[in-house]
Amino acid sequence: MLIHHTIAETRAALANAGRIVLVPTMGNLHDGHIALVRQARKHGDCVVASIFVNRLQFRPGEDFEKYPRTLEADCERLRTAGVNHLFAPDENELYPVPQRYVIEPPPEHANILEGEFRPGHFRGVATVVMKLFSVVQPQAALFGKKDYQQFMVLSDMVREFGVPIEVIPGETIRADDGLALSSRNGYLSEQERAEAPNLFRVLSNVVDAVRKGNKDYYALEQGAVSELQARGWTPDYVALRKKVDLQLPSAHDSGLVVLAAARLGSTRLIDNLEV
Ligand code: PAF
């Protein structure tokens, strides 16, 4: 695996690389990222991973500073998984001047769910991903469905700009007890880690209820919120939405997803399950 820290080096190295598949990450890699890499290998000749902790998508007071930077261990994992090139720029390389031009996702996507609780988050994500696309110029890119709303925003961005990149979803990878893998799981204490799979369990119960025909979505959401609160969580939302656009479903809509974000101690976890 070749490691590039500059845009010029990366572009030169990829000039004749064939069909390039990009796996953008913020590092601190876990088996979910490695599953994306394995999937990426089936979609092209050359797998490029990127590692960049993107300040633009964090709000003041969020975990930008403490986000784990584990480049050496990440390189080892990516090499073993068969990545061909790693693009790992520093901030001065990717943002040499303040980023005044940004991608502004539409409010109906950017201001709901995650966007309601993390204003500006999807602007930061879309902007850095467009930059990564411009550096790597892949033919395909993979994004995990664990960040369901992010996947939707980026797919729409690519479609509306006519960017010639295939956006491919990766399934959420879970620990044996159901907890969705996330770099932020590392923030959990032992006790919190034992409690954390209950987020998945609560969402699974909502899915079961909908599959059995319960259409009182509001009651299901409120029931899930109450159960999490009773267990000591601070939920931001539990929401049943249409998969296609994450808008509110009516009783005759099919193709739903239940999404949640909740804080356990000081750690904010997100998860979702398709119905
Ligand atoms: O999902 C992530 O890790 C990040 O949001 C991404 C897509 C790498 C952009 O910084």
Side-chain angles (χ1 to χ4, degrees), residues 15-245:
N16 298 305
R19 184 176 158 86
I20 298 171
V21 188
L22 174 65
V23 181
T25 81
M26 297 203 298
N28 193 234
L29 303 179
H30 50 66
D31 288 351
H33 296 110
I34 300 308
L36 287 179
V37 166
R38 299 229 161 85
Q39 194 181 341
R41 287 170 55 187
K42 298 187 189 135
H43 287 274
D45 311 306
C46 172
V47 176
V48 178
S50 64
I51 295 182
F52 181 68
V53 185
N54 174 39
R55 188 189 293 272
L56 284 194
Q57 69 190 72
F58 291 79
R59 279 171 56 76
E62 290 188 345
D63 57 344
F64 173 75
E65 305 295 345
K66 78 164 183 178
Y67 202 88
R69 275 86 168 164
T70 51
L71 186 62
E72 215 174 300
D74 291 346
C75 286
E76 200 42 51
R77 295 209 68 176
L78 293 174
R79 194 173 288 119
T80 309
V83 166
N84 305 99
H85 296 264
L86 169 65
F87 175 50
D90 67 14
E91 275 198 304
N92 289 333
E93 182 68 15
L94 212 54
Y95 297 124
V97 292
Q99 185 73 28
R100 293 174 307 149
Y101 287 78
V102 293
I103 304 273
E104 193 71 63
E108 65 271 27
H109 290 167
N111 296 353
I112 60 168
L113 305 168
E114 280 306 280
E116 182 184 343
F117 291 90
R118 304 184 70 191
H121 172 66
F122 290 113
R123 179 196 310 129
V125 170
T127 301
V128 79
V129 167
M130 197 58 121
K131 268 197 131 158
L132 294 170
F133 283 174
S134 133
V135 174
V136 174
Q137 301 190 13
Q139 279 66 49
L142 277 100
F143 298 92
K145 283 201 283 185
K146 156 96 173 11
D147 294 297
Y148 206 89
Q149 191 174 0
Q150 169 173 283
F151 180 80
M152 186 199 66
V153 165
L154 295 174
S155 305
D156 275 13
M157 173 184 85
V158 160
R159 197 179 57 239
E160 289 191 14
F161 277 106
V163 181
I165 295 176
E166 186 188 354
V167 178
I168 301 168
E171 290 305 322
T172 300
I173 305 297
R174 298 181 181 280
D176 289 344
D177 58 11
L179 177 64
L181 298 192
S182 161
S183 301
R184 292 189 168 98
N185 293 350
Y187 299 152
L188 299 168
S189 69
E190 203 179 316
Q191 204 182 347
E192 289 165 347
R193 176 61 189 82
E195 170 59 27
N198 282 300
L199 183 59
F200 168 70
R201 188 185 55 74
V202 165
L203 293 186
S204 303
N205 289 343
V206 172
V207 168
D208 286 348
V210 175
R211 285 188 183 151
K212 283 183 186 138
N214 189 334
K215 289 188 184 290
D216 191 347
Y217 301 148
Y218 181 72
L220 289 172
E221 291 166 357
Q222 290 312 303
V225 164
S226 301
E227 185 174 352
L228 288 169
Q229 281 169 335
R231 301 193 66 90
W233 296 69
T234 310
D236 281 345
Y237 60 84
V238 175
L240 267 158
R241 294 297 171 99
K242 289 188 282 181
K243 276 197 248 186
V244 61
D245 56 7

